[in-house]
Amino acid sequence: MSNIPRILLAAPASGSGKTVITCALLRAFQKEGLKLASFKCGPDYIDPLFHEQVFEIETRNLDPFFLDENELRGILKKGSAGKDLSIIEGVMGYYDGLGGVSTEGSAYDVATKTASPVILIINGKGASVSLAAQIRGFLEFRKDHGICGVILNRVTKGMFPLLKTFLENELGIQVFGYFPVMEEAQFESRHLGLLLPDEVQDISARLDALADVCRETVDLTAIRKAAEAAEILSAPEAAEVTRTSSVTKTAELPEGTWQRKDCVRIAVARDEAFCFYYHENLDLLEARGAEIVSFSPLHDKALPEGTQGILLGGGYPELYAKQLSDNTSMRHAIRDAVTGGKPLLAECGGFMYLMRQMEDMEGNVYEMCGALPGKAWRTDRLQRFGYVTLTAQKDSLAGPAGTQIRGHEFHYFDTDLNGDVFRAKKPTGKREWDCMIATETILAGFPHLYYPSNPEVAERFLRRASGLSEADRL
């Protein structure tokens, strides 16, 4: 049983100000001297990067599609250890879940499964009394809504006291404060979401300004009290997440079979072009015996010494196509490592980097690694979007035919070599498609995989990287 002060920030819809207000609160509470943990609902990579790079707060994803209730609570407990306050940022509209017709996988789903109090962020621009009707709808839609109060966004200093009194009397919930319209609150976006933190001009100064306003207009003490009133959280004591649902076939590790002395050196691409990683994936690799060594396809000339396996995550290689192409020695090093049999996992942007050629955002074509013979190019719309369950159609590095693992896709680019070793199926509806290049040493494609949904996939990668055959015991 754990006492974890926590609050979840949600909204009626995307674009209501969740990310900006989450960042403002994180900075404001930092200025108050609190030790913070942060979390993001769903499969988002970019919002957590804001929390990590700007505030130096490690951020984890809480995703009910990938994790059951105990696992969600375990991730929350692990990330909150030793912290004064945990702030969870919601996703889309509060009740919006799988397929657009379910609450499963929504911020509400996370809130109920983690027993987290919820603050609803309401865009108050251009409305007054009607805000009560909107908020009441959220309170009455589900009895276990968990909403303890609201923050009003984009309202004036003069109007706020009137709205606060009216809404609290009308609805019986707390209005914690407000944010005025501020230029600092407008963060630029691109095709996959917000710009990355290091691309936003004067990001630290802008967030300091937001935090200063927040400390004046939001009752931080009241938010802390609401967070501290959260239900005592029961959660597993396990140090790592392992799924055991019917979706996967998880092999338990015999005690003492994979010792730290057996560490496998895994080179992980991490720079401006490749930055989309689940912490849970890297945690699982380390727990299974990986030594994670970061390298930069943009800036380094060679793979880290002693590399036994390679992980190329997603990101924005299309923004750095010329620089990646100009780094010939790294392209050749990766090509030679892959064609020479070093095991490799590559997702989305990393998959595109492996191709023979890739277009940039302007349609210019550049040479890439050439470890795969295809070409990647930009399209004018999302190609495949959302959660998927992947089922292997044949044996490969991932496991035997029938192996399943969960993930998600979100990309505007496409290739002429998407692969057919796995069949991707959406969790709702009938849409399916073939994907993934998979051999005895390569697992590459557009899907971002969530390793804890089938740890055996990660274990097989490490076994191969260590030089053990499938006949060898871990």
Side-chain angles (χ1 to χ4, degrees), residues 362-384:
E362 287 72 44
N364 302 308
V365 179
Y366 293 96
E367 296 297 312
M368 290 292 118
C369 293
L372 298 175
K375 176 183 176 181
W377 65 87
R378 187 188 181 193
T379 72
D380 59 1
R381 59 187 175 84
L382 277 172
Q383 291 302 302
R384 292 172 290 281

Side-chain angles (χ1 to χ4, degrees), residues 2-8 34-37 39 76 80-88 115-117 223-233:
S2 300
N3 182 15
I4 300 174
R6 58 195 182 278
I7 206 79
L8 187 149
L34 271 63
K35 296 179 181 179
L36 304 174
F39 301 86
L76 179 58
S80 300
K83 308 301 182 183
D84 299 313
L85 176 64
S86 295
I87 296 179
I88 307 167
S116 297
I223 290 178
R224 283 197 68 183
K225 288 181 179 178
E228 290 166 353
E231 175 184 315
I232 299 295
L233 191 70

Side-chain angles (χ1 to χ4, degrees), residues 151-448:
I151 291 174
L152 301 178
N153 192 23
R154 306 185 74 192
V155 302
T156 65
K157 180 178 181 179
M159 194 65 186
F160 173 70
L162 302 175
L163 288 174
K164 175 178 171 65
T165 300
F166 170 71
L167 292 174
E168 289 183 341
N169 290 339
E170 186 72 24
L171 303 174
I173 62 169
Q174 188 162 4
V175 179
F176 289 101
Y178 76 100
F179 279 79
V181 176
M182 296 178 61
E183 183 178 345
E184 293 88 342
Q186 307 305 310
F187 289 169
E188 296 84 358
S189 297
R190 65 158 60 90
H191 55 287
L192 293 184
L194 294 174
L195 296 182
L196 297 180
D198 55 9
E199 299 176 282
V200 180
Q201 187 174 8
D202 300 324
I203 181 64
S204 185
R206 290 171 67 177
L207 289 172
D208 280 338
L210 278 170
D212 290 342
V213 170
C214 179
R215 296 172 80 184
E216 294 179 5
T217 64
V218 176
D219 190 340
L220 299 180
T221 301
I223 290 178
R224 283 197 68 183
K225 288 181 179 178
E228 290 166 353
E231 175 184 315
I232 299 295
L233 191 70
S234 61
E237 295 293 335
E240 61 176 292
V241 175
T242 54
R243 171 170 285 279
T244 56
S245 77
S246 60
V247 175
T248 65
K249 186 177 182 180
T250 301
E252 292 297 329
L253 286 177
E255 185 176 353
T257 54
W258 189 277
Q259 301 295 332
R260 276 293 170 188
K261 62 183 177 61
D262 298 317
C263 277
V264 183
R265 194 169 175 84
I266 303 300
V268 179
R270 302 182 91 165
D271 57 19
E272 302 96 308
F274 304 98
C275 50
F276 294 171
Y277 295 97
Y278 289 117
H279 274 294
E280 296 77 46
N281 283 359
L282 301 181
D283 287 349
L284 180 59
L285 288 173
E286 288 184 321
R288 294 300 200 255
E291 177 192 2
I292 301 296
V293 183
S294 297
F295 77 100
S296 170
L298 281 172
H299 308 296
D300 296 336
K301 298 303 180 183
L303 288 165
E305 185 177 353
T307 292
Q308 295 172 272
I310 303 170
L311 177 55
L312 300 174
Y316 289 117
E318 64 270 24
L319 301 181
Y320 303 92
K322 184 180 187 306
Q323 193 173 346
L324 289 168
S325 184
D326 287 345
N327 193 354
T328 306
S329 63
M330 177 58 79
R331 290 195 291 111
H332 290 175
I334 292 176
R335 179 199 63 195
D336 293 345
V338 174
T339 57
K342 262 192 209 327
L344 172 137
L345 300 176
E347 302 177 349
C348 204
F351 172 54
M352 290 158 50
Y353 178 53
L354 286 180
M355 295 285 168
R356 181 176 56 85
Q357 293 181 324
M358 180 178 69
E359 288 185 2
D360 66 6
M361 294 296 290
E362 287 72 44
N364 302 308
V365 179
Y366 293 96
E367 296 297 312
M368 290 292 118
C369 293
L372 298 175
K375 176 183 176 181
W377 65 87
R378 187 188 181 193
T379 72
D380 59 1
R381 59 187 175 84
L382 277 172
Q383 291 302 302
R384 292 172 290 281
F385 167 70
Y387 293 116
V388 289
T389 296
L390 302 167
T391 303
Q393 306 301 296
K394 58 186 76 171
D395 297 352
S396 71
L397 174 63
T403 295
Q404 289 190 330
I405 189 167
R406 288 184 168 185
H408 81 278
E409 290 198 34
F410 192 104
H411 53 96
Y412 282 78
F413 276 66
D414 209 344
T415 77
D416 53 7
L417 188 70
N418 288 327
D420 60 1
V421 177
F422 278 79
R423 187 72 175 169
K425 187 178 189 315
K426 300 279 287 181
T428 59
K430 298 181 179 180
R431 190 178 180 198
E432 300 182 18
W433 60 89
D434 292 328
C435 62
M436 306 293 287
I437 305 294
T439 68
E440 291 185 354
T441 58
I442 296 172
L443 181 60
F446 276 113
H448 298 272

